[in-house]
Amino acid sequence: MTTSATRQRDRLHQSVAPFLSFFGGPFAQLNLEPDVANFAVGNPQEMPLPAYVEALQRHAEPQDKDWFAYKLSEPASQRTVADSLTARTGMDWDPDDVAMTNGGFVAIAVALRTLVEPGDEVLFLSPPWFFYEVLILAAGGEPSRVTLEPPAFDLDVDRLAAAIGPRTRVVLVNSPHNPSGRVYSRETLQALAAALTDASARIGHPIWILSDEPYNRIVFDGRTAHSPAEFYPHTVITYSYGKTLLVPGQRIGYLTVPPTLPDRAQLRDEIFTQQIAAGFAFPNALLQHALADLDRLSIDIGALERRRDRLVPALREMGYDASMPEGTFYTMARSPVPDDAAFAETLARHRVLVLPGNVVEVPGWFRISLTASDEMVEAGIPRFAAARQEALA
């Protein structure tokens, strides 16, 4: 193996090392124990939506000999997505611009492989989703962080604009934002669009926004999650149905570009090529057949909001500095001691699982998932208090 290949392998490994370390530690040991209050990840802690199961059962019955044959981006699935985006954004979305993928993870990977050439810089927001860096590296890009400062985790457009250089090709934005729960406003996204328009003209090539939007329907307090695609034509949206339906193991998603982007035919061809090169990155037949039914479903967003309103004030009353999320499954809380990994282990001894902040590049904090059941929330509140007292003793 060449030195450059070894270096690339090492960088890939280092980018996922915190994730692997956590999920091979207390999480793996305690995840399946019934008395544990599990706030670590956005996994379901209750049975799936009955309507979801019924839709899969209904569409599992073949209607023709090709029902389970090889599938690409099926026209019916593309129309479902285009109609949904048109209703959400007010823009007239073209079904041909929708590429169906086997989950949002793959949608991001395909988008990066399509947009990025070796050595191109990709700016992404930190704290990030676990796997942005490894996907950027795997596409041949050079990852560069733009830090969001806790506890607000605001998107500082001026800071982001100052980070743009001549090799910047993509800005990866995630709103509603995992792990903070921030939802970036229309005004912030308009400012971002203006900054990238100016920077693109200055450096001589378009800078793309890769807008990772798996939580765009999971928003609280009557908010709307706007997409950068509403304001900036050079935007690729990636989406996963696994969040809104809370079925992360049933993988279907998409990537798409807005109708305001000119000359889209060549991009469609390149995306298709990259889906093939990524290992036939299309959803399975059953999920595509069922998508028109699945697109209308959602987990109970009100239940997530009620858990937020129960848990965050309780944490604050104990003395935690905890954020009030505007969307997603998640809230962030400051560890009472600087070593967030050590405090996560203290919580684990009290039968509470959380995600240490070092896994998502926020040392001294930890992430809590609101997909925990109501029973876990009630059991967890006194345990959070006891762990804090122990850590400060």
Side-chain angles (χ1 to χ4, degrees), residues 137-157:
L137 289 169
E142 188 62 36
S144 183
R145 291 160 175 77
V146 177
T147 302
L148 309 175
E149 298 294 343
F153 299 98
D154 285 325
L155 175 55
D156 186 333
V157 174

Side-chain angles (χ1 to χ4, degrees), residues 318 320 336-337 343-352 380-393:
M318 297 170 203
Y320 287 97
V337 294
F343 184 65
E345 292 180 2
T346 300
L347 282 167
R349 289 197 297 273
H350 288 267
R351 317 296 284 175
V352 171
I381 286 173
R383 299 177 191 178
F384 276 112
R388 186 175 186 276
Q389 290 173 357
E390 178 183 328
L392 294 175

Side-chain angles (χ1 to χ4, degrees), residues 47-63:
M47 294 298 286
L49 292 169
Y52 182 88
V53 178
E54 291 164 7
L56 295 186
Q57 291 172 335
R58 185 164 57 252
H59 290 281
E61 184 65 34
Q63 297 182 19

Side-chain angles (χ1 to χ4, degrees), residues 103-313:
F105 199 137
V106 168
I108 299 168
V110 170
L112 287 168
R113 292 170 64 121
T114 300
L115 302 176
V116 173
E117 297 181 2
D120 281 349
E121 181 183 55
V122 179
L123 301 181
F124 67 97
L125 306 181
S126 178
W129 178 57
F130 322 113
F131 298 124
Y132 288 153
E133 183 175 20
V134 72
L135 290 176
I136 293 165
L137 289 169
E142 188 62 36
S144 183
R145 291 160 175 77
V146 177
T147 302
L148 309 175
E149 298 294 343
F153 299 98
D154 285 325
L155 175 55
D156 186 333
V157 174
D158 291 338
R159 175 183 288 183
L160 188 150
I164 292 172
R167 294 188 299 115
T168 304
R169 181 67 63 177
V170 176
V171 174
L172 203 169
V173 177
N174 170 221
S175 176
H177 178 249
N178 171 14
S180 74
R182 283 303 306 273
V183 178
Y184 297 122
S185 68
R186 171 194 292 268
E187 292 74 22
T188 296
L189 297 177
Q190 287 173 326
L192 175 63
L196 295 188
T197 299
D198 291 345
S200 297
R202 184 179 70 251
I203 65 178
H205 65 251
I207 299 171
W208 290 85
I209 293 177
L210 177 50
S211 184
D212 181 26
E213 303 183 14
Y215 300 97
N216 63 24
R217 304 186 193 188
I218 304 176
V219 290
F220 307 139
D221 307 312
R223 289 181 174 84
T224 297
H226 290 283
S227 172
E230 298 172 43
F231 316 109
Y232 190 71
H234 282 84
T235 298
V236 177
I237 294 174
T238 57
Y239 183 78
S240 166
Y241 283 92
K243 306 303 183 183
T244 305
L245 301 172
L246 198 50
V247 285
Q250 293 284 347
R251 305 194 64 77
I252 185 167
Y254 62 79
L255 69 153
T256 186
V257 293
T260 50
L261 177 69
D263 303 324
R264 303 190 299 280
Q266 184 176 349
L267 182 66
R268 294 170 188 164
D269 291 343
E270 181 61 24
I271 289 170
F272 179 82
T273 299
Q274 293 300 338
Q275 286 183 273
I276 299 295
F280 210 74
F282 301 93
N284 68 45
L286 176 57
L287 289 173
Q288 292 207 66
H289 291 317
L291 190 63
D293 290 340
L294 302 182
D295 186 74
R296 294 191 288 266
L297 301 177
S298 173
I299 57 172
D300 188 344
I301 306 302
L304 292 174
E305 191 171 339
R306 289 190 294 274
R307 287 176 197 146
R308 177 201 68 170
D309 292 344
R310 172 72 175 111
L311 184 58
V312 172

Side-chain angles (χ1 to χ4, degrees), residues 56-90:
L56 295 186
Q57 291 172 335
R58 185 164 57 252
H59 290 281
E61 184 65 34
Q63 297 182 19
D64 56 57
K65 68 178 180 60
D66 293 322
W67 200 246
F68 298 123
Y70 286 112
K71 301 300 177 188
L72 302 175
S73 293
E74 292 298 287
S77 298
Q78 293 173 296
R79 285 194 301 273
T80 294
V81 172
D83 289 347
S84 180
L85 286 164
T86 295
R88 192 168 73 83
T89 66

